[in-house]
């Protein structure tokens, strides 16, 4: 029985699958990392598992895409392209799979067409299977990715995002499949993306059957999450009704919010007479034996809430957002309010905002709105820029119904109808000048960027620059195992660290000694494999605590803005400065854009006047009350 391997085109894949009894398995390592470990599983760990995963005979390994591209550079200090290159060396046959957010690519908001096409072309050199979705199931938002994937000769897997409720019928989804086929042609795989693990096994089975009845030749790939502990039942119902590919993960790392364990799925389906195609079960066991010792190092990143969560059927938060939502709750000091947010406010917000699919970036909009409603005490009283864009239709039309008028009025004010009429609808996002962006990146890096660096920069500009500067200073740190890279509590002078890299080669790092320079900085010496390195660190301030900073209330900050003293009303990063010194501005003009929790919020002028001074720059972090700019108010 021929194994499906990298390099096979869609025609050959479809022919092989249609002529083969049984079902195929995708190992969703990326989704597992995102859902249960806040995307922190390191390349070092994936490289340790690579040879066993290669032997396992999967249809594909989902190893990049979604939020992982961003977190690779932001938290793990690894180049997303280097990750794919190194894994390909160890996995020459296994198809690599990505999750792409259509118009939003691997980011959180719409990108220009030329950025989308450039990104897909570059990643297509490494990625075989492209799972593509849109959180509103709006097909036009995915067209550019569809076209570039097919041009590259890669395997296109469009998604229909699944949810529950009276509007989410078989008829609706079958119609969506028809809309997809109208633009892609028949040579695709189709993914049912059940990102929240919603519905019952029976419901998933009837949906698969409805699609197969309409399109008997369709190869359906079922993707789900095990948040409520019931996804093996949904997988079984999907395969029983004709799904050909299913998603699961290595049992040594499975948790509560990601995919279920592969071997459990195999054992369950075997009792129904279904056998996996080309799978080496011993290699699956071997993978988890390799991984099991690694899990303890990721314990800090597991969710603060343990156990399965059947209430996902109420709040519908996707698996990938469960862990990060609890992390934000801990950092924000509102963990005690999570039951209220999840079981009362979030379902209410979801219904009020059109009952669309709670998946990125829509899930972030629903989540941050629900948190703001509970924390702020005034529902929809502090709308994010992304919520405003959703209501204006910047992401696409609402699929079923528009939110009620009172929400528009609360967000935009009494003139909301005029604003909707003048600003509403999908923007025709103009292509950017890529060569100009390349020059900007070169200036910020101080060297000519590669095409891969440019691609990452175009999606996450500030974080990309910080990462490339970090890599230039410290080198490539993917060789460090999680025991060292993720170690908490620091390192002691005189300590010796011994570890093996993914090749099995042993390394030693000796910490210290240190000495203070005449400038008051500490020189810390590291002996790495008997090669000396020196790093400079500023000494922490000793003695009494720093004076407490004055924290202004939101009302006080708004009063300051009315007299031209524009400050940040929450902790955020600057992602855009929209005006220049000397520029005339009016009330409502956008001065800057700041970002927090992946949501962008415009800072609008509350006064007429002229920009006198700009205190910040793109990429700079802001605390509550930090100055952004000064507007000289007109008399």
């Amino acid at each position: 029985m021929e194994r499906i391997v990298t390099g096979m085109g869609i025609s050959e894949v479809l022919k092989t699958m249609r002529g083969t009894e049984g079902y195929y398995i995708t190992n969703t390592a990326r989704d597992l990392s995102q859902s249960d470990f806040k995307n922190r599983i390191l390349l070092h760990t994936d490289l340790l598992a690579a040879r066993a995963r290669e032997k396992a005979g999967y249809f594909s390994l989902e190893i990049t895409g979604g939020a992982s591209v961003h977190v690779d550079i932001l938290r793990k200090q690894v180049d997303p392209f280097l990750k794919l290159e190194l894994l390909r060396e160890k996995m020459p046959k296994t198809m690599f799979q990505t999750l792409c957010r259509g118009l939003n690519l691997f980011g959180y908001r719409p990108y220009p067409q030329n950025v989308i096409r450039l990104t897909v072309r570059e990643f297509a050199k490494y990625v075989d299977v492209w799972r593509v979705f849109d959180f509103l199931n709006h097909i036009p938002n995915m067209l550019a990715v569809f076209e570039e994937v097919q041009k590259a000769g890669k395997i296109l897997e469009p998604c229909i995002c699944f949810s529950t409720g009276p509007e989410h019928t078989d008829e609706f989804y079958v119609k969506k499949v028809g809309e997809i086929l109208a633009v892609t042609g028949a040579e695709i795989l189709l993914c049912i993306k059940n990102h929240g693990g919603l519905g019952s096994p029976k419901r998933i089975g009837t949906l698969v059957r409805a699609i197969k009845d309409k399109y008997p030749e369709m190869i359906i790939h079922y993707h789900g999450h095990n948040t409520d502990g019931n996804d093996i039942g949904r997988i079984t119902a999907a395969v029983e009704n004709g799904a050909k590919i299913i998603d699961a993960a290595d049992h040594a790392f499975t948790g509560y919010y990601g995919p279920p364990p592969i071997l459990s799925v195999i054992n369950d389906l075997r009792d129904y007479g279904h056998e996996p195609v080309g799978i080496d079960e011993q290699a699956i066991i071997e993978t988890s034996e390799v991984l099991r010792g690694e899990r303890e190092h990721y314990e800090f990143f597991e969710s603060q809430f343990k156990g399965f969560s059947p209430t996902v059927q109420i709040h519908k938060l996707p698996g990938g957002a469960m862990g990060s939502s609890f992390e934000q709750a801990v950092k924000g000091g509102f963990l005690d309010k999570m039951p209220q947010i999840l079981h009362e406010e979030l379902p209410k917000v979801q219904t009020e905002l059109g009952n669309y699919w709670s998946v990125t970036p829509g899930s972030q909009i629903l989540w941050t709105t629900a948190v703001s409603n509970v924390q702020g005490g005034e529902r929809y009283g502090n709308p994010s820029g992304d919520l405003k864009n959703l209501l204006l239709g910047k992401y696409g039309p609402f699929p079923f119904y528009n939110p009620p008028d009172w929400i528009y009025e609360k967000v935009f004010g009494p003139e909301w109808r005029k604003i909707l009429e003048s600003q509403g609808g999908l923007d025709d996002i103009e292509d950017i000048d890529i060569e100009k962006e390349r020059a900007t990146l070169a200036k910020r890096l101080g060297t000519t960027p590669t095409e891969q660096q440019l691609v990452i920069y175009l999606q996450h500009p500030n974080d990309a620059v910080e990462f490339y500067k970090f890599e230039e200073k410290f080198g490539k740190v993917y060789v460090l195992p999680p025991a060292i890279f993720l170690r908490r509590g620091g390192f002691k002078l005189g300590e010796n660290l011994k570890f093996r890299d993914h090749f099995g080669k042993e390394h030693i790092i000796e910490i210290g000694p240190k000495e203070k320079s005449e400038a008051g900085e500490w020189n810390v010496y590291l002996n790495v494999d008997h090669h000396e390195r020196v790093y400079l660190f500023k000494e922490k301030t000793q003695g009494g605590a720093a004076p407490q900073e004055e924290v202004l209330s939101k009302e006080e900050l708004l009063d300051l803005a009315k007299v031209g003293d524009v400050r940040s009303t929450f902790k955020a990063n600057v992602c855009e400065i929209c005006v220049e010194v000397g520029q005339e501005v009016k009330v409502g003009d956008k001065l800057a854009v700041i970002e927090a929790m992946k949501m962008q919020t415009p800072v609008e002028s509350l006064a007429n006047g002229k920009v006198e001074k700009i205190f910040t720059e793109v990429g700079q972090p802001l605390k509550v009350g930090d100055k952004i700019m000064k507007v000289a108010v007109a008399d």
Side-chain angles (χ1 to χ4, degrees):
M1 196 175 298
E2 186 180 7
R3 175 179 176 179
I4 292 175
V5 297
T6 184
M8 292 175 67
I10 183 62
S11 298
E12 189 177 2
V13 169
L14 292 175
K15 182 180 179 182
T16 301
M17 286 190 164
R18 288 167 181 160
T20 305
E21 292 295 325
Y23 65 96
Y24 292 80
I25 298 174
T26 288
N27 184 322
T28 49
R30 179 216 60 85
D31 206 358
L32 173 71
S33 175
Q34 179 164 336
S35 299
D36 286 308
F37 299 93
K38 302 184 179 76
N39 245 323
R40 296 308 207 284
I41 294 179
L42 301 178
L43 172 58
H44 187 281
T45 298
D46 284 323
L47 286 168
L48 287 178
R51 294 200 185 281
R53 283 174 174 166
E54 170 77 348
K55 289 192 296 182
Y58 298 118
F59 163 70
S60 62
L61 174 71
E62 190 198 51
I63 199 63
T64 189
S68 75
V69 173
H70 187 208
V71 180
D72 279 349
I73 63 171
L74 182 66
R75 304 292 184 208
K76 297 188 283 188
Q77 281 73 51
V78 66
D79 187 319
F81 288 103
L82 176 64
K83 176 172 78 172
L84 294 170
E85 290 173 6
L86 294 172
L87 285 169
R88 177 56 72 207
E89 290 175 6
K90 288 179 174 283
M91 305 183 71
K93 292 184 179 180
T94 303
M95 292 203 298
F96 289 166
Q97 181 172 308
T98 189
L99 178 68
C100 180
R101 299 161 177 164
L103 199 63
N104 304 295
L105 288 173
F106 307 124
Y108 314 103
R109 53 198 50 85
Y111 293 102
Q113 292 284 301
N114 59 344
V115 171
I116 294 171
R117 294 178 185 278
L118 176 64
T119 300
V120 175
R121 286 197 298 270
E122 200 61 32
F123 270 94
K125 296 173 183 177
Y126 305 91
V127 176
D128 305 281
V129 183
W130 286 74
R131 177 176 288 172
V132 188
F133 76 95
D134 177 73
F135 81 98
L136 292 174
N137 273 330
H138 187 52
I139 310 304
N141 284 348
M142 299 184 276
L143 288 183
V145 178
F146 287 175
E147 291 172 2
E148 291 300 325
V149 170
Q150 291 183 317
K151 283 180 186 176
K154 301 299 181 176
I155 296 168
L156 178 60
E157 186 176 289
C159 296
I160 50 171
C161 294
F162 176 79
S163 190
T164 52
E167 303 86 6
H168 298 266
T169 62
D170 289 344
E171 291 76 18
F172 173 83
Y173 289 117
V174 170
K175 182 181 177 183
K176 279 291 169 187
V177 174
E179 291 177 19
I180 290 171
L181 291 172
V183 297
T184 64
E187 290 204 318
I188 61 167
L189 307 178
L190 177 76
C191 177
I192 296 175
K193 182 173 171 56
N194 189 5
H195 41 273
L198 302 178
S200 65
K202 180 180 178 181
R203 175 71 193 96
I204 294 301
T206 58
L207 176 57
V208 173
R209 177 49 50 199
I211 296 171
K212 291 292 287 185
D213 284 346
K214 178 69 173 179
Y215 302 103
E217 293 294 300
M218 180 67 71
I219 297 294
I220 296 176
H221 190 160
Y222 172 75
H223 164 79
H225 282 248
N226 204 32
T227 307
D228 64 349
N230 202 21
D231 207 53
I232 293 179
R234 288 185 284 265
I235 288 172
T236 302
V239 173
E240 281 275 273
N241 284 278
K244 195 69 174 178
I245 320 171
I246 60 90
D247 284 359
D250 300 297
H251 55 269
F253 264 58
T254 48
Y256 304 114
Y257 306 133
I262 295 165
L263 279 180
S264 299
V265 171
I266 291 174
N267 292 334
D268 189 76
L269 283 170
R270 185 163 283 145
D271 272 357
Y272 287 85
H274 302 286
E275 289 291 333
V277 178
I279 289 295
D280 182 337
E281 292 180 41
Q282 189 55 46
I284 295 173
I285 295 171
E286 181 186 340
T287 305
S288 278
E289 288 174 347
V290 170
L291 289 173
R292 193 169 299 283
E294 299 289 293
R295 182 163 183 162
E296 64 178 297
H297 305 301
Y298 296 100
E299 182 180 8
F300 179 78
F301 301 108
E302 296 195 55
S303 174
Q304 286 79 4
F305 275 27
K306 307 298 183 185
F308 293 108
S309 180
T311 56
V312 70
Q313 306 297 337
I314 299 171
H315 60 72
K316 302 181 182 180
L317 201 64
M322 288 294 290
S324 60
S325 68
F326 289 119
E327 182 179 36
Q328 291 165 10
V330 170
K331 290 179 179 178
F334 58 89
L335 188 62
D336 60 316
K337 295 182 180 178
M338 282 295 280
Q340 179 188 356
I341 293 169
L342 289 177
H343 305 147
E344 298 176 25
E345 186 61 26
L346 192 53
K348 192 184 298 183
V349 167
Q350 173 124 22
T351 302
E352 289 169 348
L353 294 184
N355 200 20
Y356 65 80
W357 296 268
S358 183
V359 61
T360 308
S363 53
Q364 278 93 341
I365 298 174
L366 294 172
W367 164 252
T368 53
T369 301
V371 170
S372 177
N373 287 355
V374 170
Q375 289 288 87
E378 182 183 5
R379 302 188 74 238
Y380 300 99
N382 187 29
S384 68
D386 292 281
L387 174 59
K388 291 180 178 180
N389 284 336
L390 175 75
L391 294 172
L392 288 170
K394 301 301 181 186
Y395 293 100
F398 286 98
F400 303 118
Y401 57 85
N402 289 340
D405 291 355
W406 70 266
I407 291 180
Y408 283 94
E409 185 169 1
K410 189 70 176 178
V411 170
F412 296 110
E415 300 295 312
W416 68 269
R417 280 187 169 75
K418 291 182 179 178
I419 293 173
L420 194 61
E421 183 178 347
S422 62
Q423 301 179 28
L426 272 168
D427 287 333
D428 185 12
I429 305 174
E430 294 183 4
D431 283 354
I432 63 171
D433 186 336
I434 288 181
E435 293 311 310
K436 182 179 178 182
E437 295 298 324
R438 191 192 306 274
T440 300
L441 177 57
K443 184 177 179 181
R444 293 182 70 177
L445 294 180
T447 185
T448 303
T450 66
E451 202 74 359
Q452 294 177 352
Q453 288 176 323
L454 177 64
V455 162
I456 301 299
Y457 169 77
L458 290 173
Q459 291 170 86
H460 305 290
N462 297 323
D463 294 329
V465 169
E466 289 300 314
F467 164 69
Y468 293 125
K469 287 182 177 179
F470 171 93
E471 194 173 59
E472 181 183 15
K473 181 176 181 181
F474 295 105
K476 301 185 187 303
V477 300
Y478 70 86
V479 296
L480 294 175
I484 293 176
F485 188 90
L486 300 175
R487 175 170 165 172
R488 305 184 64 76
F491 303 94
K492 298 177 181 178
L493 286 176
E495 187 173 2
N496 289 342
L497 308 172
K498 294 182 180 180
F499 67 93
R500 291 184 182 274
D501 62 24
H502 60 281
F503 292 113
K505 182 180 178 182
E506 192 169 87
H507 301 272
I508 183 169
I509 301 175
E510 299 173 81
I511 310 294
K514 69 173 185 177
E515 64 179 9
K516 201 168 190 178
S517 70
E518 293 182 0
E521 294 179 317
W522 283 103
N523 294 323
V524 178
Y525 294 84
L526 296 182
N527 206 331
V528 182
D529 291 344
H530 311 296
H531 295 281
E532 192 174 85
R533 299 287 299 273
V534 183
Y535 293 95
L536 296 177
F537 294 92
K538 291 184 178 179
E539 188 173 15
K540 288 185 178 180
T541 303
Q542 302 293 321
Q548 189 171 358
E549 295 181 12
E550 180 184 5
V551 179
L552 300 173
S553 69
K554 181 182 176 182
E555 290 73 22
E556 289 172 320
L557 291 170
L558 291 176
D559 286 341
L560 287 172
K562 290 174 183 177
V563 295
D565 187 356
V566 183
R567 305 188 183 204
S568 181
T569 56
F570 53 89
K571 186 177 179 181
N573 288 318
V574 180
C575 55
E576 186 178 353
I577 300 294
C578 307
V579 293
E580 298 176 348
V581 172
Q583 184 173 330
E584 298 279 351
V585 294
K586 297 180 294 185
V587 172
D589 284 353
K590 186 162 63 175
L591 304 176
V593 180
I594 57 178
E595 182 177 35
M597 294 170 65
K598 303 176 186 175
M599 296 287 104
Q600 291 188 351
T601 299
V603 178
E604 296 176 348
S605 179
L606 298 185
N608 297 324
K610 182 184 291 186
V611 177
E612 189 174 81
K613 189 171 184 179
I614 298 175
F615 296 99
T616 188
E617 61 184 18
V618 171
Q620 184 172 322
L622 298 172
K623 301 189 297 293
V624 175
D626 278 357
K627 291 178 177 289
I628 297 175
M629 64 183 66
K630 173 68 176 175
V631 175
V633 178
D635 295 331

